Amino acid sequence: QVQLVESGGGLVQAGGSLKLSCAGSGRNISSYSMAWFRQAQGKQREFVAATSWRGGITPYADSVKGRFTISRDNAKNTVYLQMNSLKPEDTAVYYCAADFAGSTYSAQNMDYWGRGTLVTVSS
């Protein structure tokens, strides 16, 4: 079992930055592909970014490419999402997820989920 706890969400003005963290416990995340998803009110959950367990592979959604950066520190069992140039449309609950040795980064394949952290971007 892997437990995931997100933190770092909050209220920020458009153009600002936030850094989300996802702390894992129970098992080391080094064998897991880790991903961030988000769900805005009234909308479906969508993929944001991922980092492969193999290293060197970090896909991003087109909507965040160039603004968000995902990273991981396996020694700290933590994944991060640096979010810059935030827009009101980035407002959502952000979820961290883990997929054992995964390579598809789809929500359906994720083995574990955190409870989410709310990011609100004001205009």
Side-chain angles (χ1 to χ4, degrees), residues 3-77:
Q3 292 79 42
L4 301 172
V5 178
E6 303 94 337
S7 62
L11 174 64
V12 63
Q13 287 188 333
S17 298
L18 280 176
K19 186 174 185 177
L20 306 183
S21 299
C22 171
S25 62
R27 291 182 180 176
N28 191 275
I29 65 170
S30 60
S31 297
Y32 290 80
S33 289
M34 303 297 295
W36 288 94
F37 292 81
R38 67 186 182 186
Q39 186 167 18
Q41 194 169 8
K43 296 186 177 181
Q44 289 190 333
R45 191 170 299 189
E46 64 175 2
F47 170 80
V48 175
T51 171
S52 170
W53 68 279
R54 295 177 181 269
I57 301 173
T58 52
Y60 293 90
D62 288 343
S63 58
V64 307
K65 205 171 292 183
R67 300 188 297 123
F68 291 11
T69 303
I70 189 171
S71 60
R72 65 192 297 161
D73 186 337
N74 290 336
K76 294 184 178 180
N77 231 31

